[in-house]
Amino acid sequence: MSGAAVGARPAAARRARPPGDLRQLCVHGDHLYVDTWRGALPVYRFLPLQTAVLCGERVPYAADWPEHLKLFVYTYVPLPGPCAAPAALAPLTGVQARDLHGLRPWPQATYQGWPLYLYAYDQPGGAPLGAAAHLFAPVPATQLPLPFPGAEQQGP
């Protein structure tokens, strides 16, 4: 977990919304990003989702997580979908519905079936800060599909 995720402006993290200037998915180096007018933002995936899908489990939305973990998980903002993408990426992208009564009710963009997230403290054009060992990781451009496409892929 990065230092920014622990104790840094928890109220702001809880209210974090996606930036209003999102343009399209793109690849920078070996990872997936989303372009904004201010620069590119790294995109993340929730790593435990693969194990949950393989075991037939559902990952609860952030609002249903234990209170002591909510401040952390709220720093990851679901990327709104559908998300524009260049022709090479478009067939790999999709969208999934989220809880309409939750804190983040907008449809969420997916890549190879993986729900996509932005980290609330990343800055456009800056280094990715949201990698959290065994929890959230930047999405590799060569990401393999989530097992069992069509399985319920809810996430934080």
Side-chain angles (χ1 to χ4, degrees):
M1 193 172 356
S2 77
V6 178
R9 299 178 298 192
R14 189 168 202 268
R15 291 188 305 265
R17 298 277 184 237
D21 63 346
L22 298 175
R23 294 173 58 204
Q24 75 171 5
L25 290 175
C26 59
V27 175
H28 287 283
D30 296 334
H31 289 89
L32 199 63
Y33 282 71
V34 63
D35 274 331
T36 72
W37 292 109
R38 299 165 292 131
L41 287 168
V43 178
Y44 299 87
R45 63 190 171 130
F46 182 64
L47 296 173
L49 182 58
Q50 181 170 351
T51 303
V53 170
L54 288 170
C55 295
E57 300 285 328
R58 288 183 49 208
V59 176
Y61 291 115
D64 298 324
W65 282 42
E67 290 299 319
H68 67 281
L69 293 176
K70 284 182 181 179
L71 292 179
F72 166 71
V73 79
Y74 283 143
T75 61
Y76 294 88
V77 180
L79 180 66
C83 197
L89 296 178
L92 307 175
T93 65
V95 66
Q96 72 175 15
R98 291 185 55 88
D99 181 5
L100 294 177
H101 304 290
L103 292 173
R104 292 149 176 199
W106 55 86
Q108 185 172 13
T110 63
Y111 181 72
Q112 294 278 48
W114 288 84
L116 300 177
Y117 299 87
L118 299 172
Y119 181 61
Y121 299 112
D122 278 339
Q123 296 299 313
L129 302 174
H134 309 292
L135 290 172
F136 285 92
V139 178
T142 57
Q143 175 62 56
L144 295 175
L146 191 63
F148 310 117
E152 187 165 353
Q153 298 166 14
Q154 184 172 316

